[in-house]
Amino acid sequence: MAISMYQSSIPVLVRMLGNLSAILTKAEAYAQAKKIEPRVLIEGRLSPDMFPLARQVQIATDMAKGCGARLAGVDLPKYEDNEATFDELQARLAKTIAFLNSLRPEQIDGSEDRDITIPMGNNPPLQLKGLNYLLYWVQPNFYFHVTTAYAILRHNGLEIGKMDYLGPR
């Protein structure tokens, strides 16, 4: 049985973004219960040279919406990248999930050989075929940033575990 590009991307991204949303909900409740200024968690980082929690969430959503848009051949949604509260991060997650859910399998299936070009700032753009883009660019980047967001919160005392990361079955 073959697995489609749609099945390999959109439902997986939506699930993990939903799990990240649930983790952020727990983080906000934790901050309130422990009387921690939410900004401390939102600006928390694992190392001084790594991005803080808010940026990890932004990049994870950028990877997800970029994947959906590029594989479907539709315009990439633009976000301001100015989220500074749990509510704003949750809104960004919800907006990304809604966008991904608006994409249909027929828009994405068959995109394995679609030419994908990713701007790389001052460097030449990254050019990949759809399948390689999904497997070797989106998935590793997406999981890295979701995992790092989880790790920042866990490092700051939030009692979460592997099942929070994996989400409900």
Side-chain angles (χ1 to χ4, degrees), residues 55-92:
R55 188 70 184 124
Q56 301 295 339
V57 174
Q58 291 166 350
I59 296 172
T61 55
D62 285 347
M63 281 290 141
K65 69 184 172 78
C67 177
R70 289 182 179 107
L71 291 180
V74 299
D75 289 338
L76 184 65
K78 303 259 190 278
Y79 298 172
E80 293 295 317
D81 293 339
N82 59 1
E83 293 83 8
T85 67
F86 281 113
D87 285 344
E88 291 169 348
L89 290 171
Q90 291 285 15
R92 185 182 179 112

Side-chain angles (χ1 to χ4, degrees), residues 4-83:
S4 74
M5 287 290 284
Y6 180 86
Q7 291 170 316
S8 300
S9 59
I10 303 308
V12 177
L13 296 168
V14 167
R15 177 186 170 114
M16 290 304 296
L17 291 175
N19 297 349
L20 182 54
S21 175
I23 289 168
L24 291 181
T25 297
K26 288 183 176 191
E28 184 173 23
Y30 170 75
Q32 289 172 352
K34 298 288 185 180
K35 298 190 181 357
I36 298 169
E37 177 63 37
R39 174 180 56 76
V40 171
L41 297 178
I42 292 168
E43 294 175 7
R45 49 183 88 217
L46 292 177
S47 175
D49 65 343
M50 291 182 75
F51 288 128
L53 175 68
R55 188 70 184 124
Q56 301 295 339
V57 174
Q58 291 166 350
I59 296 172
T61 55
D62 285 347
M63 281 290 141
K65 69 184 172 78
C67 177
R70 289 182 179 107
L71 291 180
V74 299
D75 289 338
L76 184 65
K78 303 259 190 278
Y79 298 172
E80 293 295 317
D81 293 339
N82 59 1
E83 293 83 8

